[in-house]
Amino acid sequence: MKYKKYAENSCQNLTEFQDDFRKKYDTDNYENWFYNQSSETLKLYSENKEIYFKYIPIGTFSKKKNTWMWSWANENSVEPRKFQTLKVKEFGEKKKYENLTKEHFEGDNFTGWELTSIAFEIIGGIGTYRVISDNLEKYFLLTEEITKEEVEKIESELIDCGVHGKLRKAFICQHLNSKQKTGFEEAFETYRGMELDEEDDFQAWCSECEKERIKTNGWNDESMEFAKINLVCEKCYFEIKEINE
């Protein structure tokens, strides 16, 4: 299918879905919005009511420059789930749809909704939302409604990294660093922006720690003393992982 036809179909499908979403959550009747990149949560609120959503950032459109940027290419964004949009890029590479693979490019007033419609079709969600600040439009894929208490819990579990700001926590042994390869063993296979179960954390250790762990038939006081686990942010974790890979 030609890209133009595919985009038109996606926009039509989202329009129909979005009408139901707006009615169900009454999103047009909230006067204000606030989003938190660290927790990837969107708050819609008026004087007497509020509602919260988890989101995936799709991209931004500059009304000043008339250019679109995919969130996976936005180095200023700290949102871990922005890498979910790489699914759109992979789809674009298979179909040879240039607008889905280029980091940023010129567009018009319809570009943001067009690409958000395609992202919604590929990634899924319960609806979409756009916020406008100065001359920048930011597009969200909303994945679930959550409570205020759940937002507070998410934010309480973030750590304040001196380099990257507030992000999800991760654990690494004392030997892992961003300057040299030391090997990289994980509790389970991870990727940027992945969803974690409530009881899971990002955990990694070096090759020498892996030898100690095997020697002691698993983690115990001896192997843990050798590893001396440190707390880091998610972005630090994946920067170290990339160096080792």
Side-chain angles (χ1 to χ4, degrees):
M1 185 184 297
K2 297 287 187 181
Y3 173 77
K4 184 177 180 181
K5 183 63 176 177
Y6 174 73
E8 288 175 354
N9 290 344
S10 297
C11 287
Q12 183 176 349
N13 292 338
L14 178 61
T15 298
E16 295 172 1
F17 192 97
Q18 193 75 359
D19 286 342
D20 293 334
F21 167 77
R22 289 162 63 189
K23 291 174 183 176
K24 180 178 179 179
Y25 294 99
D26 197 29
T27 55
D28 293 338
N29 290 316
Y30 290 92
E31 297 174 0
N32 307 295
W33 53 262
F34 174 80
Y35 69 90
N36 186 326
Q37 286 194 42
S38 298
S39 60
E40 293 176 306
T41 55
L42 172 69
K43 173 184 177 182
L44 305 181
Y45 62 101
S46 294
E47 186 175 350
N48 298 315
K49 61 179 181 177
E50 60 188 20
I51 190 170
Y52 297 85
F53 298 97
K54 282 283 291 178
Y55 73 79
I56 295 172
I58 300 303
T60 55
F61 184 79
S62 170
K63 299 178 74 174
K64 188 175 182 180
K65 298 180 180 179
N66 288 326
T67 55
W68 168 266
M69 176 184 287
W70 285 102
S71 62
W72 55 263
N74 188 348
E75 295 182 356
N76 294 320
S77 163
V78 300
E79 296 141 314
R81 296 208 296 173
K82 68 183 180 181
F83 294 105
Q84 297 274 0
T85 58
L86 286 171
K87 296 176 184 177
V88 181
K89 183 184 179 187
E90 291 169 2
F91 178 81
E93 289 170 345
K94 290 178 182 178
K95 296 292 185 178
K96 294 182 170 53
Y97 293 158
E98 189 176 9
N99 283 3
L100 307 188
T101 61
K102 293 177 65 175
E103 295 184 2
H104 51 82
F105 50 90
E106 291 186 359
D108 55 34
N109 292 335
F110 301 102
T111 299
W113 282 122
E114 176 184 295
L115 299 177
T116 299
S117 299
I118 292 172
F120 179 80
E121 189 166 281
I122 294 171
I123 302 172
I126 63 170
T128 63
Y129 200 80
R130 175 186 65 176
V131 302
I132 304 175
S133 179
D134 296 326
N135 289 310
L136 190 69
E137 299 176 343
K138 182 158 184 168
Y139 291 82
F140 299 125
L141 188 74
L142 306 182
T143 57
E144 63 179 308
E145 180 188 1
I146 59 175
T147 65
K148 182 179 181 180
E149 291 71 28
E150 287 174 315
V151 173
E152 291 172 347
K153 184 175 186 298
I154 292 170
E155 294 178 351
S156 70
E157 293 175 348
L158 301 175
I159 66 164
D160 196 354
C161 173
V163 178
H164 302 119
K166 282 195 171 185
L167 288 170
R168 290 188 293 180
K169 63 179 180 288
F171 299 91
I172 61 172
C173 75
Q174 65 171 328
H175 312 106
L176 287 173
N177 60 78
S178 58
K179 297 178 182 178
Q180 64 188 59
K181 289 188 176 184
T182 57
F184 196 89
E185 304 288 338
E186 294 185 288
F188 49 86
E189 183 62 31
T190 65
Y191 56 87
R192 285 180 178 267
M194 76 180 294
E195 298 286 344
L196 294 175
D197 292 334
E198 190 170 338
E199 67 275 10
D200 288 334
D201 291 302
F202 296 111
Q203 303 173 36
W205 51 93
C206 71
S207 297
E208 291 302 313
C209 283
E210 177 66 0
K211 292 177 183 178
E212 288 294 316
R213 189 183 72 85
I214 293 172
K215 186 172 70 176
T216 56
N217 294 315
W219 293 113
N220 61 14
D221 290 344
E222 183 181 345
S223 54
M224 289 295 289
E225 175 60 25
F226 182 82
K228 285 188 168 61
I229 301 299
N230 293 322
L231 179 64
V232 297
C233 81
E234 177 178 0
K235 194 165 185 179
C236 287
Y237 182 94
F238 282 101
E239 287 178 354
I240 294 170
K241 182 174 181 177
E242 286 175 4
I243 287 171
N244 279 277
E245 289 181 338

